Amino acid sequence: MKKIEKTILKIILGIVYVFVRFMKINDHQVAFVSLESSHLESDLLLIYEQLKKDPQLKIKKILIGYDKNNLIQDFFYMLNCLKQVVIINTSKVVLIRDNNYVISTYKREGVHVIQVWHACGAIKKFGNAIEREYPIRNYDYILSNSDYWKKPYSEAFSVAEDQVITTGMPRVDHLCQQDYLNTAKERLYKKYPQLKNKKILLYAPTFRGNIYKGFHSVLFDAGKVMDSLGEEYLLIYKFHPLLKNTLLAKHERILNMNHEDTHDLFTVSDALISDFSSIIFDYSLLNRPMYFFVPDLNDYLRDLGCFVDYHTMPGAICYSEDDLIRAIKEKHKFDLEQFRNQFFTYQDGKNLQRVLELINQIIKKP
């Protein structure tokens, strides 16, 4: 969105906000807001499916899959922001999973915003801890998987540490449920029979870059890795949604899974290859080997920084494909239990229940 468009949007939203503040907040209205998708996904969908069963609640959804590089999408985003100002400021509870300009700029007192962040943690720094378009403000509760995140999240979202609530994230509940693990595995085996009786490596990295300079992937010679491993190995990959069209080298034992659910892919994998992606936290719940392919580690730590000590990762830190090949062949053991327990207070499959209890407590507040 161009600077003049942002200025016009700011003026319009400011005028609407003046009038909305005279409207009553509905004590039983819960709003779901997302700029990443036109339909509810992940944690928000799980929470919505439960809340909609309560006849006393009025549920609102403000959803858009916003593409910042599309002029038509800019127009629809402006309309969406106008709707957000009204719905957000007349709702008792608002749930989001990404950062939100309207909330940070035009949220009134009496509205309770719950940030259901879309990751299970954060290796790389983000939010107000790095350069961004606007400062994040006005969140009331940040959900987390453990108390470890109180300090990092308070910095990233500009909240007090006691506003970071350890409920656990609902979307990882099924990783603690054997029925899900078995069902997802069988579904993928049926769809991709070539996965059976193979040692499956899942490559799932995060993006590099930022909104100012664009996003890109780290260079990874997957073909070299597979040629160096035995025929029993097969590599499947899924890139971050910002890199969903990225492809690895064509190879008979490399499969593109960018269109599949990440947690489903966990169930067929024997090991994970990742980097600074937060999915390493999710994956640790399965107690399976992890490898960290980070040829740019030193640059990353210098330019962006991490919220965790990267040198304590529970797996081999690999600076090259040769390092990775060697680590996979050597099969060293790492203490996944200590890592998992540090970042997951709850591993009982009841995170959704705790989140619903928090929402009910807020709704009942005078």
Side-chain angles (χ1 to χ4, degrees):
M1 187 175 289
K2 296 179 180 178
K3 187 173 181 179
I4 188 170
E5 292 173 335
K6 291 180 180 179
T7 301
I8 294 172
L9 176 62
K10 188 174 182 179
I11 293 172
I12 295 173
L13 294 181
I15 294 172
V16 173
Y17 180 58
V18 170
F19 290 97
V20 170
R21 294 180 68 180
F22 291 99
M23 299 173 68
K24 188 179 185 304
I25 294 176
N26 186 327
D27 288 336
H28 292 91
Q29 183 165 297
V30 179
F32 291 80
V33 182
S34 175
L35 304 180
E36 292 186 340
S37 176
S38 57
H39 58 276
L40 289 174
E41 297 177 318
S42 191
D43 295 292
L44 294 190
L45 178 60
L46 293 169
I47 296 169
Y48 168 79
E49 291 293 339
Q50 294 301 312
L51 292 184
K52 73 177 185 179
K53 297 176 183 179
D54 187 342
Q56 292 187 324
L57 294 181
K58 185 176 183 180
I59 309 294
K60 296 284 188 177
K61 293 185 288 185
I62 316 171
L63 312 172
I64 183 174
Y66 176 44
D67 182 352
K68 297 179 176 65
N69 298 314
N70 187 307
L71 291 176
I72 296 177
Q73 281 286 299
D74 282 347
F75 174 72
F76 285 114
Y77 172 68
M78 293 176 69
L79 295 180
N80 186 274
C81 285
L82 290 172
K83 185 177 181 180
Q84 284 184 57
V85 172
V86 176
I87 299 300
I88 287 171
N89 286 291
T90 55
S91 299
K92 181 71 174 285
V93 177
V94 178
L95 295 111
I96 59 176
R97 66 187 303 262
D98 37 42
N99 285 314
N100 186 285
Y101 171 75
V102 170
I103 290 171
S104 293
T105 314
Y106 303 104
K107 193 203 85 166
R108 68 195 288 196
E109 187 176 349
V111 174
H112 301 266
V113 173
I114 302 176
Q115 173 59 270
V116 192
W117 191 238
H118 58 258
C120 275
I123 294 179
K124 57 189 175 184
K125 290 190 174 183
F126 72 101
N128 288 335
I130 63 172
E131 180 186 6
R132 45 178 298 106
E133 288 184 287
Y134 62 87
I136 300 166
R137 293 188 292 253
N138 297 333
Y139 299 165
D140 299 285
Y141 305 90
I142 315 295
L143 302 189
S144 74
N145 279 305
S146 82
D147 289 352
Y148 178 91
W149 299 112
K150 285 185 175 291
K151 182 175 176 56
Y153 281 3
S154 68
E155 179 182 355
F157 297 115
S158 291
V159 298
E161 289 190 17
D162 61 5
Q163 291 175 266
V164 181
I165 312 298
T166 303
T167 59
M169 309 306 289
R171 70 179 170 279
V172 300
D173 280 346
H174 60 203
L175 292 178
C176 302
Q177 299 164 355
Q178 196 60 46
D179 285 348
Y180 159 75
L181 298 177
N182 293 338
T183 301
K185 186 174 185 177
E186 287 306 312
R187 183 186 69 79
L188 286 174
Y189 275 168
K190 185 175 181 179
K191 189 173 182 179
Y192 306 99
Q194 63 268 48
L195 298 178
K196 288 186 177 182
N197 303 315
K198 293 288 186 179
K199 293 180 180 178
I200 307 298
L201 302 173
L202 169 60
Y203 178 56
T206 189
F207 62 88
R208 269 65 170 175
N210 54 48
I211 194 170
Y212 306 104
K213 300 178 181 178
F215 302 104
H216 61 275
S217 61
V218 68
L219 294 177
F220 176 50
D221 191 345
K224 175 180 179 179
V225 173
M226 297 313 295
D227 286 340
S228 300
L229 298 175
E231 292 292 324
E232 70 274 21
Y233 283 94
L234 191 151
L235 185 141
I236 60 178
Y237 66 89
K238 180 174 182 179
F239 282 89
H240 189 280
L242 291 171
L243 302 171
K244 60 185 178 182
N245 296 320
T246 304
L247 302 175
L248 291 181
K250 289 185 177 181
H251 192 286
E252 60 182 2
R253 288 186 287 123
I254 297 177
L255 298 181
N256 176 4
M257 297 286 186
N258 281 331
H259 54 290
E260 296 289 355
D261 178 81
T262 305
H263 282 181
D264 285 359
L265 296 177
F266 283 6
T267 67
V268 297
S269 68
D270 295 290
L272 172 71
I273 303 169
S274 193
D275 47 15
F276 306 103
S277 172
S278 66
I279 70 165
I280 68 167
F281 299 115
D282 308 48
Y283 198 79
S284 71
L285 288 169
L286 300 182
N287 198 34
R288 298 175 188 174
M290 292 189 283
Y291 304 96
F292 300 87
F293 181 71
V294 284
D296 56 346
L297 176 59
N298 293 330
D299 291 339
Y300 206 95
L301 293 177
R302 182 192 67 234
D303 298 337
L304 187 63
C306 294
F307 280 133
V308 298
D309 181 356
Y310 202 85
H311 295 94
T312 64
M313 292 295 103
I317 297 177
C318 307
Y319 296 91
S320 67
E321 287 83 0
D322 288 335
D323 288 345
L324 179 60
I325 294 165
R326 189 179 309 112
I328 293 172
K329 289 181 176 180
E330 291 177 352
K331 300 179 181 178
H332 290 305
K333 298 288 185 180
F334 290 85
D335 190 351
L336 282 167
E337 182 178 3
Q338 180 181 353
F339 179 85
R340 184 172 62 250
N341 291 339
Q342 179 180 19
F343 295 110
F344 289 95
T345 299
Y346 301 108
Q347 300 168 42
D348 57 3
K350 297 180 180 179
N351 295 341
L352 176 58
Q353 180 179 326
R354 281 183 285 272
V355 173
L356 293 173
E357 289 171 358
L358 172 64
I359 294 171
N360 286 329
Q361 290 173 11
I362 298 171
I363 291 173
K364 291 176 182 178
K365 281 185 177 181

